Amino acid sequence: MEYLVTMTTRVPDGTSDEAVQDIRDREAARAGELAAQGHLLRLWRPPLRPGEWRTLGLFAAADAGRLEKVLASMPLRVWRTDEVTPLAPHPNDPPPAPEARRRAAEFLVTFTLTIPPGTPDQTAQDAKAREARAAHDLAAQGLLLRLWALPGTGRTLGLYQASDTARMNAILAALPLAPWMTAGTTPLSPHPSDPATSHPDHSERGT
């Protein structure tokens, strides 16, 4: 199973720069080990305010208990709190396409679908079928990298890449279900320990 983890680090007051650098170096080394084991799939920096230290991570583990052991093994956990979001398979999730990665900025997009009351079932099904075809086309263009369902919420999470925010917004506006969807977009910045960068052959699918 895959999980999106928001990792927020708060360094205790009075901690020396040397201590901070030491634990960051050990964290980077551990990230490499977890990537090699298939537990750490991706790392990103979300938008940050001054003084914030947050990372988004895509992890794979057999279950929540195993994930907790993985997260607890990371050196920064002594200063860090983790918010875990389970991810479920989505029928429109594209197959792995390593050659499409890292050609542009990446974005996480959360979709909430609200079908208008009174919409005929056939109309809704036709729109969902067009959405599936659009997802396939975007994946073929290297714009859609992943899709997940967010269990218990009825929402969908997508990982996209685009040249800039304007292009990303245009992609979302063109989706067949766009008139019925609310989208929340989070721009992502590269992380120095991202396995997709440090381990180019590493798949975004866990083992």
Side-chain angles (χ1 to χ4, degrees), residues 13 18 22 29 47 49 53 88 93 101 114 117 158 187 202:
D13 293 340
E18 292 79 5
D22 173 70
R49 293 187 293 269
W53 188 354
D93 184 28
R101 294 193 202 133
T114 304
H202 183 69

Side-chain angles (χ1 to χ4, degrees), residues 20-101:
V20 171
Q21 189 59 51
D22 173 70
I23 203 166
R24 293 185 82 163
D25 290 344
R26 289 190 286 118
E27 179 83 356
R30 181 58 179 154
E33 294 170 356
L34 293 174
Q37 295 167 15
H39 290 302
L40 175 59
L41 308 181
R42 295 296 309 273
L43 284 174
W44 302 278
R45 299 273 193 221
L48 301 175
R49 293 187 293 269
E52 281 191 325
W53 188 354
R54 283 190 301 136
T55 298
L56 295 177
L58 179 62
F59 289 81
D63 52 38
R66 178 55 182 156
L67 175 67
E68 173 57 25
K69 292 179 180 178
V70 168
L71 296 175
S73 75
M74 303 176 76
L76 272 175
R77 186 63 182 276
V78 297
W79 297 337
R80 202 180 72 202
T81 57
D82 297 329
E83 179 183 344
V84 176
T85 301
L87 304 174
H90 191 285
N92 296 338
D93 184 28
E99 70 279 1
R101 294 193 202 133

Side-chain angles (χ1 to χ4, degrees), residues 17-205:
D17 291 343
E18 292 79 5
V20 171
Q21 189 59 51
D22 173 70
I23 203 166
R24 293 185 82 163
D25 290 344
R26 289 190 286 118
E27 179 83 356
R30 181 58 179 154
E33 294 170 356
L34 293 174
Q37 295 167 15
H39 290 302
L40 175 59
L41 308 181
R42 295 296 309 273
L43 284 174
W44 302 278
R45 299 273 193 221
L48 301 175
R49 293 187 293 269
E52 281 191 325
W53 188 354
R54 283 190 301 136
T55 298
L56 295 177
L58 179 62
F59 289 81
D63 52 38
R66 178 55 182 156
L67 175 67
E68 173 57 25
K69 292 179 180 178
V70 168
L71 296 175
S73 75
M74 303 176 76
L76 272 175
R77 186 63 182 276
V78 297
W79 297 337
R80 202 180 72 202
T81 57
D82 297 329
E83 179 183 344
V84 176
T85 301
L87 304 174
H90 191 285
N92 296 338
D93 184 28
E99 70 279 1
R101 294 193 202 133
R102 301 184 305 281
R103 297 188 310 193
E106 291 181 307
F107 301 82
L108 278 175
V109 184
T110 303
F111 298 98
T112 301
L113 176 64
T114 304
I115 299 177
T119 301
D121 289 344
Q122 189 59 52
T123 299
Q125 292 305 316
D126 289 346
K128 289 179 179 180
R130 293 198 307 274
E131 186 78 8
R133 291 193 294 271
H136 180 273
D137 292 343
L138 290 173
Q141 298 170 48
L143 300 173
L144 172 61
L145 302 180
R146 295 295 309 274
L147 272 179
W148 301 273
L150 296 173
T153 69
R155 294 181 297 159
T156 298
L157 179 69
L159 175 62
Y160 291 79
Q161 62 178 1
S163 55
D164 52 35
T165 300
R167 174 59 175 148
M168 185 69 254
N169 290 339
I171 291 169
L172 299 178
L175 292 174
L177 287 177
W180 297 345
M181 288 195 302
T182 301
T185 303
T186 301
L188 304 171
S189 299
H191 191 287
S193 298
D194 181 17
T197 300
S198 54
H199 297 79
D201 295 329
H202 183 69
S203 171
E204 284 179 0
R205 267 63 169 181

